[in-house]
Amino acid sequence: MNKVKIHFLGASGTVTGSKFYLETPELNLMVDCGMYQGLKELRKLNWEPLPIDSSKIDVVLLTHGHLDHTGYLPRLVMEGFHGKIIGTPPTLAITQIILLDSAKIHEEEAERANKEGYSKHTPAKPFYTITEAERAISLFSAEEKDKWIKLSENIRFKFRYNGHIIGATFIELEIFGKLFVFSGDVGREHDPLLVPPEHPKWADYLFVESTYGNKLHPEEDVEEILVRLVKETLNQRGNLIIPSFAVERLQSLMYLLWQLFKKNRIPNIPIFIDSPMGNNVLNVFERFPEWHKLSSKEYQAMCTHFNIISSYADTWKTIDDPRPKIVIAGSGMVTGGRVLTYLKQFMGRSTTTILMVGHQAEGTRGKQLLDGAYELKLFGKYYPIKSKIHHLESLSGHADQKELLHWMKDIKNVPEEVFLIHGEPSSLDAFRVKIKDIYNWRVHIPKLNETKEILL
Ligand SMILES: [Zn+2]
């Protein structure tokens, strides 16, 4: 009898590090290949080699480009993988940007560790280099959504739109007639730039993310909050600093602010976009207009409304600009990026407002700001915080509990088993109970490195 052996190699009992390995009679497949992010204990897991023979993997399928779904790819290649990495065209474009940025950060970190001598290994080695990231990128192979792609005699898959970020999909993987559905990260019903996710209609085995498995996004009026903060900034002749993720969040904020200006709800305040990676992602929006709500014309009009900064010299010109202004800069959780320079200059002033957007993970400066820290360590030194801090919670790329349940509501059959992945233990368990109550499906929460044999 044919069987599939599934290895839960990441995002099992945790949010990050998505990696699912399937051994089948015809091919060995991996769905997503992400890195762990967050607290040090979790990040240490990245350095442990996978408990499988990576050279035996034939194909990696990517649900979307985020680092916690793609960031391990260069290591997989270093461990011997030489197959194909398949994603939608925008997913591969985003993955390329993210892997090169990640490699650059790893190289810089190793260089700093060697200079300051704080690494246990001498010399300190980067997690992967730009050259190693490029080796993974050379294995990319794009496939369009909504098309069955045959991988072998009895295995085929289809990418289906799920509205999480540009290019993002869920995956329907058919193995010997059984349908394995991997949700990827499910997007929102109402997103400024993306249309609502499509829904699976059938799933023999369902793998669902549970990031917000126990939460509902607050009902807040995002436009109203932005209008109020922009007006306050103008009245106080201050600065509104918005740390933002480069992928999707930045483009959504641009779109919302541009719309508010067009509707005459905010005056023409200068808005600076300072995120080299965000600029690259903007190009992906330009290249793939069919993957978001903006037409090419609207996209062009939106971009001309902003001062898009490319060089670090212009960062300093912006800081010296005495006008009240808005600055949107990376990174989203203030773990690095150009926003550090702005905060160093502006967070000691009471006329500054810092607007944190979305979830801020434990151990990040973004979380410290939300928790009311009176000082922040930047570039090795402490700086006092005098500015006001606000939080926009609802602007998230992740479906909440209600939206996740809505996403699976069209599944006509009773799945043999539902696996809850990509969540903290508390949200995984709450979501398990909820799915049982509503659908009465069999739900399992796999542990890290657990394996499961399924007879076909
Ligand atoms: Zn994601």
Side-chain angles (χ1 to χ4, degrees):
M1 196 165 193
N2 288 320
K3 64 180 185 197
V4 173
K5 187 172 179 186
I6 305 172
H7 302 246
F8 294 89
L9 301 179
S12 303
T14 56
V15 170
T16 56
S18 270
K19 280 178 222 86
F20 308 99
Y21 178 51
L22 288 85
E23 289 177 276
T24 82
E26 289 180 358
L27 287 173
N28 296 322
L29 306 157
M30 190 175 248
V31 177
D32 284 339
C33 187
M35 247 175 82
Y36 288 101
Q37 294 173 281
L39 292 173
K40 200 171 179 180
E41 282 309 302
L42 218 47
R43 283 184 280 127
K44 267 180 16 200
L45 287 175
N46 286 324
W47 290 90
E48 287 176 18
L50 295 182
I52 55 163
D53 183 351
S54 297
S55 69
K56 294 223 166 88
I57 306 171
D58 299 291
V59 175
V60 178
L61 301 175
L62 299 179
T63 59
H64 67 290
H66 272 150
L67 192 70
D68 61 328
H69 292 255
T70 63
Y72 197 81
L73 285 168
R75 294 288 294 196
L76 199 72
V77 176
M78 289 155 82
E79 286 174 20
F81 170 69
H82 53 271
K84 262 190 196 174
I85 300 168
I86 307 180
T88 64
T91 286
L92 295 182
I94 296 286
T95 306
Q96 176 164 351
I97 293 167
I98 282 188
L99 290 186
L100 291 175
D101 179 75
S102 166
K104 190 167 147 252
I105 292 169
H106 292 311
E107 284 191 3
E108 285 167 0
E109 269 174 7
E111 203 180 311
R112 207 176 321 129
N114 284 327
K115 219 158 64 195
E116 294 166 16
Y118 61 69
S119 170
K120 273 181 260 148
H121 317 275
T122 36
K125 275 208 171 133
F127 188 53
Y128 46 79
T129 62
I130 291 174
T131 313
E132 282 153 353
E134 279 166 348
R135 212 165 291 146
I137 291 164
S138 73
L139 302 175
F140 282 6
S141 168
E143 293 290 356
E144 295 296 338
K145 63 182 165 70
D146 299 327
K147 251 173 57 187
W148 280 112
I149 311 293
K150 196 169 170 171
L151 292 172
S152 64
E153 193 54 36
N154 291 292
I155 301 178
R156 58 180 189 160
F157 77 94
K158 196 196 272 186
F159 287 129
R160 306 260 329 262
Y161 179 86
N162 80 350
H164 168 58
I165 62 169
I166 191 164
T169 60
F170 66 91
I171 296 175
E172 294 181 332
L173 177 61
E174 195 186 86
I175 305 173
F176 287 82
K178 293 277 185 194
L179 199 61
F180 293 67
V181 177
F182 290 85
S183 73
D185 288 354
V186 180
R188 308 293 305 278
E189 283 302 307
H190 305 281
D191 184 275
L193 287 177
L194 303 174
V195 300
E198 286 177 12
H199 298 164
K201 299 241 163 30
W202 189 277
D204 292 305
Y205 296 92
L206 182 62
F207 300 73
V208 194
E209 69 122 331
S210 320
T211 319
Y212 285 89
N214 60 345
K215 286 201 189 82
L216 296 181
H217 293 306
E219 296 213 4
E220 55 187 7
D221 190 335
V222 175
E223 293 196 353
E224 199 54 51
I225 293 168
L226 286 171
V227 167
R228 182 164 52 82
L229 294 181
V230 170
K231 286 189 175 158
E232 273 174 24
T233 300
L234 279 164
N235 287 341
Q236 297 178 333
R237 302 200 53 76
N239 295 285
L240 174 60
I241 312 288
I242 313 180
S244 172
F245 296 118
V247 183
E248 210 68 37
R249 185 68 49 77
L250 171 68
Q251 295 77 27
S252 297
L253 283 165
M254 287 172 73
Y255 179 74
L256 287 168
L257 288 164
W258 178 55
Q259 289 296 309
L260 289 175
F261 170 71
K262 282 212 314 185
K263 287 190 253 175
N264 255 330
R265 293 190 61 196
I266 57 170
N268 197 7
I269 179 171
I271 308 175
F272 295 89
I273 307 296
D274 198 347
S275 165
M277 195 172 154
N279 296 349
N280 292 334
V281 177
L282 268 174
N283 293 337
V284 179
F285 272 75
E286 187 177 20
R287 277 171 57 200
F288 301 102
E290 70 282 14
W291 280 84
H292 56 81
K293 290 181 190 170
L294 289 180
S295 69
S296 299
K297 230 167 122 187
E298 283 173 310
Y299 167 85
Q300 298 295 348
M302 177 176 92
C303 287
T304 54
H305 182 65
F306 296 88
N307 302 290
I308 297 177
I309 294 175
S310 47
S311 77
Y312 194 51
D314 286 340
T315 298
W316 284 98
K317 270 191 206 148
T318 308
I319 286 168
D320 291 338
D321 189 329
R323 295 176 295 171
K325 58 187 166 295
I326 303 174
V327 176
I328 310 178
S331 68
M333 297 191 193
V334 200
T335 49
R338 299 250 175 109
V339 79
L340 300 184
T341 309
Y342 290 97
L343 289 181
K344 187 180 151 207
Q345 297 300 316
F346 289 123
M347 73 183 181
R349 301 182 195 175
S350 63
T351 53
T352 299
T353 300
I354 305 170
L355 176 61
M356 305 305 301
V357 185
H359 174 70
Q360 301 293 316
E362 289 295 336
T364 62
R365 291 192 192 90
K367 179 79 168 118
Q368 288 178 44
L369 285 168
L370 283 186
D371 288 347
Y374 64 91
E375 61 179 6
L376 207 58
K377 196 174 176 185
L378 300 168
F379 309 110
K381 271 166 91 178
Y382 285 96
Y383 296 89
I385 304 168
K386 295 272 178 353
S387 52
K388 294 177 281 298
I389 317 284
H390 285 273
H391 191 198
L392 254 187
E393 270 183 274
S394 65
L395 212 60
S396 162
H398 279 278
D400 64 12
Q401 189 195 62
K402 214 167 124 195
E403 289 165 317
L404 284 171
L405 290 166
H406 179 74
W407 178 79
M408 56 180 88
K409 77 172 180 24
D410 296 340
I411 295 176
K412 285 198 272 294
N413 65 317
V414 175
E416 305 270 341
E417 192 145 24
V418 180
F419 299 96
L420 294 189
I421 48 173
H422 206 280
E424 298 296 345
S426 55
S427 61
L428 289 163
D429 199 57
F431 197 38
R432 177 184 66 80
V433 174
K434 201 81 189 173
I435 293 177
K436 242 187 137 19
D437 285 347
I438 293 183
Y439 299 113
N440 200 22
W441 291 343
R442 213 165 89 145
V443 183
H444 178 62
I445 301 173
K447 291 192 182 59
L448 181 62
N449 292 332
E450 188 176 318
T451 57
K452 169 106 193 165
E453 281 194 353
I454 290 175
L455 298 176
L456 299 171

